[in-house]
Amino acid sequence: MARISRRDFIKLAGAASLLPLAGNLPQVSDLPLIGRLPTGQRLALPAVAHPGQESSPPNVIIILLDALSAFNLSVYDYPRRTSPNLEKFAQRATVFHGHHSGGNFTTPSTASLFTGQYPWTHRALSLSGLITRSVLPYNLFEQLEQGLRSYFTMSFTQNIYADMLLYQFEKHLKRHPQLDNFSRAGHTFYDNFFRRDGVYAMKSVDQFLFLREQAHGSLFLSILSDLALTLRSKLEARRLAGIYPEGLPRLSNTDVAFVLSEVIDGVIGLVDDLQPVSPFFSYLHLMPPHQPYTPTRPFIGIFDDGWNPEPKKKHRLASGLSEERLDVLRRTYDEFIANLDDELGRLFDHLEHSGLMENSYVILTSDHGEMFERGEHGHSTPLVFEPVIRIPLLVHAPGQQARQDVHALTSNVDLLPTLLHIAGLPIPEWAQGQVLPGLGGQADAQREVFVVEAKKNPAHNPLSKATVAMLRGQHKLVHYLGYKYYPDNYEFYDLANDPGEQNNLYPDHPLAREFQAELDQKLAQADHPYQNQP
């Protein structure tokens, strides 16, 4: 079948908008991994023979769960028992208690994981932002191709914005399964038709012609597409209402609906197919527990316990939700986490029984957290309080049998140098992270980590509308720049004595001005290449 160009597609878009009614999209035979895999079907990978297989570096399996806050996990002492299977996994893992994301939503944080650099360097700042061209060669996937034993790389994500970043590294990915694999209803057009032009196709087709949340490029096509997708989604949701009374989980900013157990089955199949290949690296980015929080029936109501944390004063930059609404959202989120944890138990058991736990680093983490306080919900916020930036990190080393706890301050920019260290590869000078303590690195009490939120700031301009934070030791400084109702403000917290960040100590704390001078200097350095931009 001939490959369809973007121009041909747009000419035929009237017909294409009805395709969701027709079931699975057709495959294009000369492109890899086109079309959704039927449930239970696995990817066919080539058997790769490696001489001296016994000396192969360890495999790496990253399981990233979108919008999973460390604050809502019982493995981190949350009062609700949301994560018994993570607790079990932790008994044979290194558990990091001070791990932070480089940003507070998917794009900047995953870009930091992939590049080992902070958002003010890689410049993937906005929701659909991309890594700047000058930084693009500096990435984990390309580094893993180096050395005598090149890693076989496979990356699968259910997040459309993380997928755009993966398309930037396409030439370094041996396998890149489609976003809507293992899904029940809905389609993304860019990766069903335009696998070799995914970034531009997503922006010109999925986001322009068919995006539901904003103005459409074509009113006629968008109405037809909405009707078709909504009909299929409603029919599927009605059919599965006994299992999902609140509706099916969906991929953010799409009409793609999925069943959690089938996604875990699909992930198990992906990992199984990698076993003949050694060493391999797999990045598995799953959408749950990201909103919408839609647990299956057995988990609905399990936390109707009357417990709610003490309310905190509303922040000026918050959206102003009531405590009652936040309590309901938090409870449903906790139910969805418990549902996810139940399915993760199956995945961990399979990794154990398949033998992969004996020769693989299994890493569980998130891209950012979620907020249910101060009048704010979610993560699309200018705020960078700990619940939205402190994320889980649990690392099982090959054959590890005992738990190790690390309380040092760490960042997701540390994963790149740590994984290169594990693979026996040199750590490049451009990496801004450090090898993680307990995995070859040393804890540093004077180490600083940074968080950048700048979704409304042009990527190649100085940071003039942003929130940036610097953490060192037990202290945290936050600088708000360019907000109309909160201009050029600072907040300073002592996290050891005030873990709830309720007492702003700026400017009276003796360290506040020192932190400010250092953060201002870092901002000036980050902005320097973008000064005097037109």
Side-chain angles (χ1 to χ4, degrees):
M1 178 178 177
R3 189 162 60 252
I4 303 173
S5 70
R6 281 181 287 145
R7 180 175 297 177
D8 292 337
F9 175 80
I10 293 172
K11 287 179 181 179
L12 298 173
S17 65
L18 297 176
L19 279 174
L21 289 173
N24 292 344
L25 292 172
Q27 295 189 0
V28 182
S29 59
D30 59 341
L31 295 181
L33 300 174
I34 296 298
R36 183 183 295 103
L37 290 175
T39 302
Q41 182 174 327
R42 298 177 180 173
L43 297 177
L45 299 185
V48 178
H50 286 308
Q53 185 114 3
E54 66 280 0
S55 62
S56 176
N59 304 314
V60 176
I61 302 170
I62 295 180
I63 303 165
L64 188 146
L65 307 171
D66 207 294
L68 181 61
S69 176
F71 277 67
N72 290 69
L73 296 175
S74 53
V75 70
Y76 289 105
D77 300 321
Y78 185 57
R80 286 174 172 157
R81 190 84 186 281
T82 54
S83 54
N85 283 300
L86 285 185
E87 293 171 40
K88 180 180 176 182
F89 178 77
Q91 295 310 307
R92 297 172 56 189
T94 302
V95 181
F96 292 83
H97 293 258
H99 193 62
H100 289 75
S101 175
N104 69 352
F105 64 101
T106 294
T107 307
S109 59
T110 51
S112 288
L113 189 158
F114 295 153
T115 65
Q117 302 187 54
Y118 288 109
W120 53 30
T121 301
H122 63 61
R123 310 304 285 193
L125 300 178
S126 66
L127 192 62
S128 57
L130 298 172
I131 296 165
T132 191
R133 185 174 300 176
S134 61
V135 174
L136 202 55
Y138 309 136
N139 66 81
L140 176 61
F141 305 103
E142 182 170 359
Q143 293 297 306
L144 289 174
E145 292 180 340
Q146 312 304 316
L148 297 177
R149 302 300 302 276
S150 175
Y151 273 73
F152 187 99
T153 52
M154 186 274 288
S155 293
F156 168 68
T157 177
Q158 292 185 293
N159 186 303
I160 195 170
Y161 302 112
D163 209 31
M164 290 302 97
L165 300 177
L166 290 175
Y167 269 104
Q168 290 193 278
F169 306 126
E170 185 82 351
K171 66 180 180 180
H172 303 297
L173 297 176
K174 301 296 192 300
R175 286 292 183 269
H176 180 189
Q178 286 176 230
L179 178 97
D180 52 9
N181 275 342
F182 322 123
S183 298
R184 280 296 188 103
H187 295 281
T188 52
F189 288 94
Y190 74 90
D191 65 351
N192 280 279
F193 283 101
F194 309 118
R195 294 283 292 173
R196 293 182 180 175
D197 217 1
V199 172
Y200 301 104
M202 190 274 281
K203 292 180 179 293
S204 61
V205 179
D206 287 74
Q207 286 196 333
F208 181 61
L209 286 178
F210 298 112
L211 186 65
R212 301 183 63 175
E213 286 81 3
Q214 301 175 15
H216 300 283
S218 168
L219 179 62
F220 174 70
L221 296 180
S222 65
I223 290 173
L224 289 177
S225 179
D226 284 358
L227 288 173
L229 292 168
T230 300
L231 177 59
R232 286 201 65 206
S233 294
K234 283 186 175 181
L235 289 173
E236 200 67 19
R238 185 178 303 171
R239 195 169 71 82
L240 295 172
I243 302 172
Y244 282 97
E246 304 298 328
L248 292 174
R250 286 188 297 108
L251 308 190
S252 181
N253 289 326
T254 76
D255 285 288
V256 179
F258 61 90
V259 173
L260 180 53
S261 61
E262 293 175 357
V263 172
I264 297 299
D265 288 341
V267 166
I268 288 172
L270 292 178
V271 175
D272 277 355
D273 287 332
L274 289 173
Q275 282 198 269
V277 186
S278 182
F280 69 77
F281 169 86
S282 65
Y283 173 79
L284 304 165
H285 182 150
L286 307 186
M287 209 66 203
H290 191 287
Q291 212 175 8
Y293 315 136
T294 52
T296 55
R297 185 178 294 278
F299 293 89
I300 295 175
I302 62 170
F303 297 125
D304 289 345
D305 48 19
W307 173 85
N308 292 302
E310 287 294 320
K312 296 179 181 178
K313 182 181 177 181
K314 288 185 179 180
H315 196 278
R316 182 170 293 188
L317 296 178
S319 53
L321 293 180
S322 69
E323 286 299 321
E324 293 75 16
R325 180 58 180 156
L326 291 173
D327 290 342
V328 170
L329 289 166
R330 182 188 301 107
R331 185 172 64 250
T332 312
Y333 176 69
D334 291 345
E335 292 169 355
F336 201 25
I337 291 175
N339 192 171
L340 172 63
D341 178 83
D342 186 62
E343 292 293 339
L344 289 174
R346 292 198 300 116
L347 175 58
F348 295 147
D349 286 345
H350 183 84
L351 294 175
E352 176 71 31
H353 296 150
S354 68
L356 281 170
M357 297 286 269
E358 293 301 314
N359 61 2
S360 305
Y361 279 85
V362 180
I363 301 170
L364 187 136
T365 189
S366 184
D367 50 352
H368 54 80
E370 199 86 329
M371 278 189 67
F372 303 90
E373 60 180 47
R374 306 172 201 269
E376 188 65 289
H377 164 240
H379 52 272
S380 185
T381 172
L383 303 179
V384 291
F385 289 98
E386 291 295 282
V388 79
I389 61 171
R390 197 187 304 171
I391 54 177
L393 179 63
L394 295 86
V395 181
H396 168 84
Q400 184 172 349
Q401 296 298 320
R403 174 169 174 159
Q404 178 181 204
D405 288 275
V406 174
H407 293 271
L409 196 60
T410 59
S411 168
N412 71 341
V413 299
D414 297 337
L415 280 174
L416 181 145
T418 301
L419 293 176
L420 295 182
H421 174 77
I422 286 170
L425 296 169
I427 298 170
E429 293 183 359
W430 47 259
Q432 294 174 348
Q434 302 177 8
V435 177
L436 288 163
L439 297 175
Q442 298 296 320
D444 180 1
Q446 296 303 308
R447 193 264 174 99
E448 301 144 344
V449 302
F450 301 93
V451 181
V452 180
E453 194 289 316
K455 67 171 67 66
K456 294 185 178 180
N457 198 98
H460 296 100
N461 284 13
L463 296 180
S464 59
K465 187 165 188 179
T467 307
V468 293
M470 183 180 102
L471 296 97
R472 185 176 71 209
Q474 67 186 35
H475 297 105
K476 174 181 179 180
L477 178 73
V478 183
H479 186 190
Y480 297 92
L481 302 87
Y483 296 102
K484 183 177 180 181
Y485 300 107
Y486 206 60
D488 202 32
N489 268 269
Y490 290 89
E491 296 173 2
F492 189 81
Y493 298 102
D494 181 341
L495 297 178
N497 297 306
D498 177 26
E501 300 170 279
Q502 304 217 57
N503 302 309
N504 180 10
L505 303 177
Y506 182 88
D508 299 326
H509 194 283
L511 288 176
R513 294 295 187 181
E514 177 187 327
F515 272 56
Q516 179 182 342
E518 187 167 345
L519 183 57
D520 288 348
Q521 181 182 17
K522 291 287 186 180
L523 272 171
Q525 292 173 352
D527 284 343
H528 180 71
Y530 305 100
Q531 297 291 350
N532 304 317
Q533 293 294 318

